[in-house]
Amino acid sequence: MKKIKFIVIAGSSGGHILPAIKYLNNLSSIREPNEILFITNEIGKNYLHKIKNDKLNKIVWDSKNKFAFIFKVFLNLSSIFILNRKITLIGFGGFITCPVLIFSKLINILLLSSNNIYIHEQNYIYGLANKINYLIAKNAFISFPKVNFSRKEIFVGNFFLDKNKPRELLDKNFINILLIGGSAGSLDLNNTMIKKISDIDKKYIENIKLFIQTPSSHYEFYKKKYKSLISNNSLIFFTFKNNLNFQEYDFIISRSGSGSLNEILYYTNNVYFIPHLISRDQHQKFNLNYFLRHNMSLNKFNLPIKKNFKDDFYFNNLINPHSIEKIICYTTR
């Protein structure tokens, strides 16, 4: 890693790591992959198989001990910053971005380097790490439009995993209902769904097919609960599905993370979002409120009891599925 021109940092959650990996995959197709370095933590390690080019440099550091992580940054990145005086850095969120970007800024000051520092914020409001990073960044790529932009902010729209990937086809004879919320975040969504299913007249349930995301640790528990309400043939459980086709579903219940909001609402607004409110800043609530103000997504949780074939054309002009491509343009010009 003597010659590094790009450093990408992301950790803490898939919401930070997945857009970073799409950026890496796009970047490595137009720049030398051995000149690109990706820094992540123990969570990001689970996503490394999604990086397409094996020549791309990767560093995985455990960030549970924050002081130890900061020490590793200063110890291991010093030679890279000294040998390379003009690096483009972009942080996609999470605590681990702060030490790397701050160290790069110090190198700029102490060694008169010209590293360019960027950040990406996928939510409606800045997370704590990006509030700090914003102070030293050249530009902040933001996912939601604003009435008043700061001089640093560039609106790029939100991240899309892969708009053109192969997608599933479902049996149109059923009312197809999808529940997604992340492996751990789907527990209370399942409890809400079970309550709604139990309230439906039994004569309608035979027309419903449920696709339920639940962590493997809770599979047996929820399988038992659902089977008491609906036949086994109408239940499909999964922990992860790579070929989800949101257009095929008559109703969706989901978390309102930025990625879920944008990818689902690009295809359909037959969706009821429930924000995950445990996070410190409650960013999912702010994400959802933006779309509710523009009459996107459902305000009430009503499960359909009959098949509804829509003739009208659905188009959401609030979403740009090419955000990563726009970031590539800014950071490589």
Side-chain angles (χ1 to χ4, degrees):
M1 293 193 291
K2 290 183 178 179
K3 191 175 184 182
I4 294 294
K5 292 186 177 179
F6 294 90
I7 296 179
V8 179
I9 319 102
S12 300
S13 73
H16 299 140
I17 297 160
L18 287 171
I21 288 178
K22 178 155 189 188
Y23 176 86
L24 287 165
N25 288 335
N26 287 14
L27 181 64
S28 61
S29 69
I30 60 171
R31 292 288 190 269
E32 288 294 330
N34 56 10
E35 295 178 352
I36 303 169
L37 170 62
F38 178 45
I39 300 173
T40 188
N41 61 358
E42 64 281 356
I43 298 172
K45 185 178 180 180
N46 299 321
Y47 296 84
L48 293 181
H49 65 280
K50 294 181 178 291
I51 296 177
K52 295 177 180 178
N53 199 307
D54 292 334
K55 294 181 180 178
L56 193 143
N57 300 288
K58 311 172 196 74
I59 293 177
V60 180
W61 284 324
D62 193 314
S63 64
K64 292 173 186 173
N65 185 322
K66 290 181 170 54
F67 293 105
F69 180 85
I70 293 170
F71 179 75
K72 289 174 188 174
V73 168
F74 281 79
L75 181 66
N76 293 279
L77 295 186
S78 296
S79 59
I80 292 176
F81 283 131
I82 291 171
L83 292 171
N84 303 275
R85 296 300 184 89
K86 190 173 182 180
I87 302 175
T88 296
L89 299 96
I90 177 166
F92 279 86
F95 153 76
I96 70 169
T97 60
C98 290
V100 179
L101 298 183
I102 291 172
F103 188 31
S104 175
K105 185 67 174 181
L106 290 174
I107 291 293
N108 278 0
I109 296 169
L110 298 175
L111 299 181
L112 300 177
S113 295
S114 53
N115 298 325
N116 288 318
I117 299 171
Y118 300 95
I119 60 172
H120 172 262
E121 178 54 64
Q122 71 272 36
N123 292 304
Y124 189 80
I125 58 173
Y126 286 92
L128 178 59
N130 272 344
K131 285 178 181 176
I132 298 170
N133 293 333
Y134 178 87
L135 301 174
I136 60 172
K138 177 183 178 182
N139 289 113
F141 301 114
I142 62 172
S143 304
F144 289 83
K146 292 182 176 181
V147 175
N148 296 308
F149 290 89
S150 76
R151 62 180 181 83
K152 287 186 178 183
E153 291 177 325
I154 299 173
F155 170 59
V156 295
N158 212 285
F159 150 75
F160 256 63
L161 191 60
D162 189 352
K163 190 168 72 72
N164 300 313
K165 67 183 179 182
R167 295 180 185 270
E168 64 188 343
L169 294 175
L170 304 180
D171 188 340
K172 299 287 188 183
N173 294 313
F174 288 95
I175 300 168
N176 295 302
I177 297 174
L178 172 68
L179 182 149
I180 54 173
S183 56
S186 63
L187 297 182
D188 58 326
L189 299 192
N190 273 290
N191 293 332
T192 302
M193 179 69 84
I194 288 167
K195 174 67 169 63
K196 289 290 182 179
I197 291 288
S198 63
D199 291 338
I200 293 179
D201 192 311
K202 298 292 183 185
K203 66 182 179 182
Y204 297 115
I205 289 184
E206 63 184 27
N207 300 320
I208 292 174
K209 183 167 277 191
L210 288 176
F211 297 78
I212 305 293
Q213 182 180 42
T214 187
S216 54
S217 58
H218 288 72
Y219 168 71
E220 291 297 334
F221 174 78
Y222 281 112
K223 180 181 177 182
K224 194 175 192 180
K225 288 245 182 188
Y226 279 108
K227 282 183 71 173
S228 67
L229 300 170
I230 192 168
S231 71
N232 194 41
N233 294 332
S234 299
L235 286 170
I236 296 173
F237 291 94
F238 65 96
T239 54
F240 176 75
K241 224 176 190 205
N242 194 44
N243 65 337
L244 280 171
N245 189 351
F246 300 119
Q247 287 174 305
E248 290 283 294
Y249 292 94
D250 299 281
F251 180 79
I252 300 170
I253 176 173
S254 171
R255 285 291 180 214
S256 56
S258 182
S260 298
L261 276 165
N262 283 270
E263 190 150 3
I264 293 171
L265 289 175
Y266 184 74
Y267 295 102
T268 179
N269 61 351
N270 289 326
V271 52
Y272 181 79
F273 290 106
I274 298 180
H276 200 41
L277 300 178
I278 293 177
S279 62
R280 183 192 302 109
D281 53 17
Q282 298 190 5
H283 58 268
Q284 289 198 8
K285 180 183 75 173
F286 290 98
N287 292 344
L288 176 58
N289 285 343
Y290 169 78
F291 285 102
L292 290 176
R293 287 199 304 271
H294 292 85
N295 298 315
M296 293 291 176
S297 87
L298 303 175
N299 286 299
K300 292 183 179 179
F301 187 169
N302 291 319
L303 289 178
I305 57 174
K306 64 179 181 178
K307 193 76 177 177
N308 181 20
F309 294 97
K310 285 193 170 183
D311 295 325
D312 56 317
F313 175 71
Y314 173 76
F315 175 71
N316 191 328
N317 63 355
L318 303 176
I319 296 172
N320 169 26
H322 305 290
S323 63
I324 300 298
E325 288 82 354
K326 288 181 73 174
I327 297 173
I328 291 282
C329 292
Y330 277 104
T331 55
T332 59
R333 63 184 180 181

